[in-house]
């Protein structure tokens, strides 16, 4: 299987990180499948998430996705009330 071109991922990620209300925005490749990508996004609030979904770069990226995906993307949303560091 050919590797998915990731230039659009990098461009979209870099643009997203510059948005107001973005706490964290990362894309990771699965260690067992180089064509499986996971997006980790953290927003200050619902308004920041909404603004991201309406941004020009998000809309361009969303338009390109059907050509890259083998099927429907799996999306999971987590609501985190608090987080603490763990000492290892």
């Amino acid at each position: 299987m050919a590797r998915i071109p990731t230039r659009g991922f990098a461009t979209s990620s870099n643009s997203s990180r510059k948005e107001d209300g973005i706490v964290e925005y990362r894309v990771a490749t699965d260690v067992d499948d180089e064509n499986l990508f996971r997006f980790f996004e953290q927003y200050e609030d619902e308004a920041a998430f909404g603004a991201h979904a309406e941004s020009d770069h998000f809309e361009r990226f969303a338009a390109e996705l059907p050509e890259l995906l083998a099927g429907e993307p799996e999306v999971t949303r987590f609501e985190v009330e608090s987080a603490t560091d763990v000492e290892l």
Side-chain angles (χ1 to χ4, degrees):
M1 175 185 298
R3 181 156 165 70
I4 293 174
T6 59
R7 182 184 310 183
F9 292 1
T11 301
S12 180
S13 296
N14 290 334
S15 296
S16 295
R17 286 187 199 108
K18 296 174 185 173
E19 294 175 21
D20 290 336
I22 296 284
V23 175
E24 186 74 26
Y25 194 99
R26 299 283 174 217
V27 181
T29 307
D30 189 89
V31 296
D32 295 323
D33 181 352
E34 66 182 4
N35 285 317
L36 177 60
F37 296 88
R38 290 187 168 79
F39 289 72
F40 298 90
E41 306 172 26
Q42 183 181 1
Y43 302 89
E44 288 180 359
D45 53 28
E46 189 67 32
F49 175 71
H52 168 69
E54 294 178 3
S55 67
D56 291 340
H57 62 270
F58 179 86
E59 290 180 1
R60 282 191 302 274
F61 182 63
E64 296 171 1
L65 274 181
E67 297 175 22
L68 301 173
L69 300 178
E72 287 295 315
E74 294 179 26
V75 179
T76 304
R77 180 177 176 150
F78 296 93
E79 298 285 341
V80 179
E81 295 298 321
S82 67
T84 58
D85 291 336
V86 175
E87 188 174 322
L88 298 177

